[in-house]
Amino acid sequence: MQVAKIKVIPAKYNPFIKDFRHYYHVYIFETKAEMWQAGAKLSSWDKDAHGGYGAITIPCRREKYDEGNWITAPKIGDVLFYKDCLGSECVSHEAVHMATNYLRFKNQLLLTDQIDDNEEKLAYCIGSCTRQIVDNLYKLKIL
């Protein structure tokens, strides 16, 4: 059974990005089996479908033709959590996947050997995704 659905915008709270169109849907499931069953409908990827992972990020980009241009639909992925895997380590881990997928999509994942604005952009996206998930988990009384 799906316990909750949360919309997360990676660019929210990020002073380096002003485009708030793209988002993920984050789903919380009662059991790990239900999480993987839902994941199978969203992706053919089945790495460790029978065991360990209690969360998974599934990027998805849909292109559509609009007024002479190809544009990406606003939803860029789904993140699924088993409700017993909502600790800070797991939430931040999935937030890294969300942020890196988002910045790759925007052609803005440009890291060097120095802490610079590009690394700050990534850190803000990770923090934003984590913050939105955790804030909503508290609002929904899941945490």
Side-chain angles (χ1 to χ4, degrees):
M1 176 175 90
Q2 179 182 308
V3 176
K5 179 180 175 183
I6 301 165
K7 184 176 180 179
V8 173
I9 301 165
K12 193 173 184 178
Y13 311 117
N14 191 329
F16 293 91
I17 302 173
K18 301 298 180 208
D19 178 358
F20 302 119
R21 290 177 293 167
H22 298 100
Y23 65 89
Y24 291 89
H25 276 146
V26 175
Y27 300 92
I28 315 299
F29 292 90
E30 188 70 36
T31 69
K32 195 183 287 186
E34 291 166 334
M35 181 196 80
W36 279 104
Q37 186 178 19
K41 293 177 184 173
L42 296 169
S43 172
S44 59
W45 188 75
D46 68 352
K47 183 178 179 184
D48 202 28
H50 305 290
Y53 296 150
I56 183 172
T57 297
I58 303 169
C60 71
R61 296 189 196 121
R62 292 187 195 94
E63 301 282 326
K64 65 180 185 176
Y65 198 69
D66 186 31
E67 297 183 21
N69 296 308
W70 282 100
I71 61 170
T72 301
K75 182 179 168 192
I76 58 169
D78 297 288
V79 184
L80 294 84
F81 286 94
Y82 163 45
K83 73 172 181 124
D84 287 352
C85 291
L86 292 171
S88 58
E89 181 181 354
C90 191
V91 171
S92 63
H93 177 106
E94 295 309 317
V96 168
H97 292 311
M98 296 166 75
T100 55
N101 176 61
Y102 171 72
L103 291 173
R104 278 189 199 104
F105 157 68
K106 303 286 284 177
N107 292 317
Q108 295 183 23
L109 186 61
L110 308 166
L111 300 178
T112 66
D113 62 349
Q114 299 294 315
I115 296 174
D116 59 8
D117 286 353
N118 290 307
E119 189 167 317
E120 287 295 324
K121 189 184 305 181
L122 173 61
Y124 272 104
C125 280
I126 294 167
S128 178
C129 291
T130 302
R131 175 181 176 177
Q132 291 172 72
I133 292 168
V134 171
D135 284 356
N136 278 284
L137 292 173
Y138 276 107
K139 284 179 192 172
L140 296 166
K141 299 187 185 326
I142 296 170
L143 288 181

